[in-house]
Amino acid sequence: MDRPVDRPGDRPGDRAGDPLPPGQRLVAGWPVSHYGPVPRFRPERWDLKVFGATAGGVTVSRTWEQVTALPRTTVVADLHCATGTTSTGHEWFGVPPEVVLGLAPPAERVTHVMIWAEYGYSANLRLSDFTAPGTLLATHHGGEPLTAEHGFPLRLVVPHLYGYKSVKWLRGIEYLTADRPGFWEERGYHNTGEVSTGRRYSYEEESRR
Ligand SMILES: Nc1nc2c(c(=O)[nH]1)N[C@H]1C(S)=C(S)[C@@H](COP(=O)(O)O)O[C@H]1N2
Ligand SMILES: [Mo]
């Protein structure tokens, strides 16, 4: 498919309605894709923790009720699974990353974050990808709370990176001073996962070629 004239500053694949990125095919509806079981939400036990290399060395913890009181915004974007399926036009509503950075400022030497989910699923991100426009800690989709299988009560959305970075059932954000692979990154998937490059696997990483 022909790409339109480049719009400076845009990254292909991070806007709803963009032409499909390399190797992706459009699917009808919104498939559910994840490894392992769907966790049950227990509000009295649930918390969101921001930990690791925080500026003050402290761990910040928020209850579900506190999370729902944080400022929220809307993002519309496509979702690209690394297996090649793309679902389009997702309207997400949730907490922008800068609100998290405000709650728990990272130490100056922080370069990456590890996003943690229920059952130990994780994904690593460069700090710049975590703070990129479009990244969101989503509570809602299409005006409704997330469904259980799509990550209720809270999930990350990183539209310009492959789906394995969009961690469902989000529980923790760990500030890192050096990169470390997450769940799929440890199992052969590309460390940074930019959709625009079409590079899905670790053997395609620039440092290995
Ligand atoms: N906790 C958790 N989050 C996850 C996954 C997972 O296995 N566990 N799979 C990821 C993958 S590979 C994709 S493509 C997206 C799919 O999101 P969806 O099911 O809402 O379409 O979820 C991501 N988030
Ligand atoms: Mo995926």
Side-chain angles (χ1 to χ4, degrees):
M1 187 190 283
D2 281 345
R3 286 201 60 84
V5 179
D6 273 353
R7 292 163 294 177
D10 272 5
R11 290 159 310 189
D14 68 354
R15 301 275 169 115
D18 265 4
L20 286 181
Q24 294 299 117
R25 64 187 182 279
L26 196 61
V27 290
W30 185 13
V32 171
S33 167
H34 58 262
Y35 179 84
V38 173
R40 193 161 75 85
F41 176 51
R42 295 180 186 82
E44 67 291 351
R45 287 210 215 155
W46 191 96
D47 61 4
L48 175 68
K49 280 199 167 63
V50 189
F51 62 104
T54 56
V58 291
T59 291
V60 170
S61 179
R62 287 291 179 270
T63 64
W64 174 241
E65 203 184 340
Q66 290 171 326
V67 167
T68 60
L70 295 172
R72 281 180 276 183
T73 186
T74 298
V75 164
V76 178
D78 299 342
L79 181 60
H80 310 285
C81 176
T83 61
T85 54
T86 289
S87 53
T88 57
H90 297 283
E91 186 193 300
W92 307 103
F93 177 70
V95 180
E98 50 275 22
V99 172
V100 173
L101 300 182
L103 281 179
E108 243 168 66
R109 58 189 201 286
V110 169
T111 55
H112 293 76
V113 299
M114 188 70 80
I115 307 297
W116 290 99
E118 303 282 359
Y119 301 142
Y121 183 88
S122 62
N124 56 317
L125 293 173
R126 294 177 292 213
L127 185 60
S128 57
D129 286 321
F130 180 64
T131 59
T135 301
L136 198 67
L137 285 71
T139 58
H140 288 66
H141 179 276
E144 301 286 336
L146 293 169
T147 59
E149 62 272 23
H150 285 299
F152 181 80
L154 187 68
R155 75 174 295 170
L156 191 72
V157 182
V158 193
H160 70 289
L161 304 182
Y162 284 120
Y164 54 90
K165 303 287 189 181
S166 288
V167 175
K168 303 194 277 191
W169 313 298
L170 170 56
R171 289 290 304 275
I173 296 166
E174 182 185 4
Y175 294 148
L176 305 177
T177 56
D179 197 10
R180 208 169 75 209
F183 182 86
W184 283 120
E185 297 82 2
E186 229 173 15
R187 290 165 176 78
Y189 280 87
H190 195 282
N191 189 52
T192 53
E194 294 96 336
V195 172
S196 61
T197 63
R199 291 197 277 266
R200 296 162 169 75
Y201 306 108
S202 31
Y203 69 80
E204 300 171 294
E205 281 166 21
E206 294 72 1
S207 57
R208 304 190 186 205
R209 296 186 306 161

